[in-house]
Amino acid sequence: MKLVVISAGLSVPSSTRLLGDRLAAQAAGRTSADVTVVELRDLAVEIAHNFTNRFPGRALGAAFDAAVAADGVIVVTPVFSASYSGLFKSFFDALSVHNEGALAGKPVLIAATGGTARHSLVLDHALRPLFAYLKAVVVPTGVYAASEDWGAEGLDGRIERAAGELAALMTGSSTVRKPAGESPDLVPFEEQLAALNPRDRSARSTSGRGAVPPSSAPQAHGRRIR
C-alpha cells in the first residue's frame, strides 16, 4: 500500500511539511503503507516549464507517477491570500493535464497551515472544492494548523481523527478509531433539552395519565335550533 504526501511548504524547516509528516505517521501506522513525500518547492522550475512545453521533467514526472499510483494522498499547503498557494495549485493543474483522472476515486486528506486561525475556512472554501472537481474522495475531516496550534491542545486529536478516516478509506474499513478523550457517542438533541429541564421531562412522562377520553367527557346540553 502506498501513501503520498504532497507538501507545498517553502521554508526549511517548514511547518507545512511538519504537518504532512505527522498526518502521514498516523495514517501509515494504521495501514502499514509506504510513505513518499513530494516537496513542491524542489519542483517549482519543472512545473513552470511544464506549462510552456507540456513536457514534465524527470523529477516532476516521478511525482506525477507517485500520485497516480498512490492508494491515498495527503495534501498540505500554506495559506496565501486566504487560499492555497500558487505553487500548490500549479502542480495539480499540471497533474490534471498530464492525467485527467489521476485522483479520481482516490482518498485525499486536505490540510493547511497559516499564521492565524482566521484562515481555517480555507479547507472548505478552497481545498475541498478543488479536489471534489478532480473527482477525489475527500476525507471528511480536514486539518488546519495555525501558529498557536503547535503544542496546544486539540491539534493532535484532529490529526489522529483525520488520519484514521484516511486509513479507513484506504483499507476499505468502516471503523474509525476516535481520538483519546473524545466522547464515544453523541447525545440526541432532544435528550439534551430534557436534561436541562427535569420538570418538563417528568411532566411529559406523566402527561397521558388521568386524562379523560374524549368519548366519556361530559357533553354540554343545549337547545337545538332548527
Side-chain angles (χ1 to χ4, degrees):
M1 190 166 288
K2 299 177 181 179
L3 175 62
V4 172
V5 180
I6 299 175
S7 169
L10 299 177
S11 61
V12 180
S14 165
S15 61
T16 302
R17 170 65 187 271
L18 176 59
L19 180 57
D21 287 344
R22 291 182 62 177
L23 288 164
Q26 284 285 341
R30 298 164 185 253
T31 61
S32 300
D34 296 325
V35 179
T36 300
V37 178
V38 175
E39 286 276 15
L40 299 186
R41 178 187 64 249
D42 301 331
L43 302 175
V45 174
E46 290 193 19
I47 291 173
H49 287 168
N50 183 79
F51 281 110
T52 58
N53 58 27
R54 299 296 181 183
F55 182 79
R58 181 177 300 176
L60 182 59
F64 287 166
D65 292 342
V68 171
D71 298 290
V73 179
I74 297 172
V75 299
V76 197
T77 179
V79 175
F80 285 88
S81 301
S83 187
Y84 36 64
S85 70
L87 179 61
F88 181 87
K89 180 62 161 57
S90 295
F91 173 81
F92 288 102
D93 284 343
L95 175 62
S96 64
V97 171
H98 177 75
N99 186 333
E100 185 176 359
L103 298 179
K106 198 180 301 293
V108 173
L109 193 166
I110 56 175
T113 59
T116 171
R118 290 178 296 177
H119 291 309
S120 60
L121 290 177
V122 70
L123 295 173
D124 291 319
H125 78 68
L127 285 166
R128 198 173 297 277
L130 170 62
F131 289 97
Y133 175 79
L134 295 175
K135 301 180 177 64
V137 179
V138 185
V139 170
T141 300
V143 180
Y144 178 83
S147 299
E148 61 266 26
D149 288 329
W150 298 101
E153 184 180 358
L155 180 59
D156 288 342
R158 296 198 301 274
I159 289 174
E160 185 177 348
R161 183 174 186 83
E165 292 171 351
L166 176 64
L169 288 171
M170 290 174 63
T171 60
S173 170
S174 60
T175 302
V176 178
R177 186 174 61 193
K178 294 181 174 61
E182 184 175 331
S183 176
D185 297 304
L186 294 177
V187 179
F189 184 62
E190 294 80 2
E191 293 185 16
Q192 296 183 47
L193 287 178
L196 293 175
N197 192 349
R199 292 182 180 179
D200 180 64
R201 179 174 55 185
S202 60
R204 283 187 296 173
S205 64
T206 59
S207 60
R209 301 177 185 175
V212 179
S215 60
S216 61
Q219 301 294 325
H221 297 283
R223 296 179 60 184
R224 179 179 300 176
I225 301 176
R226 296 182 178 179

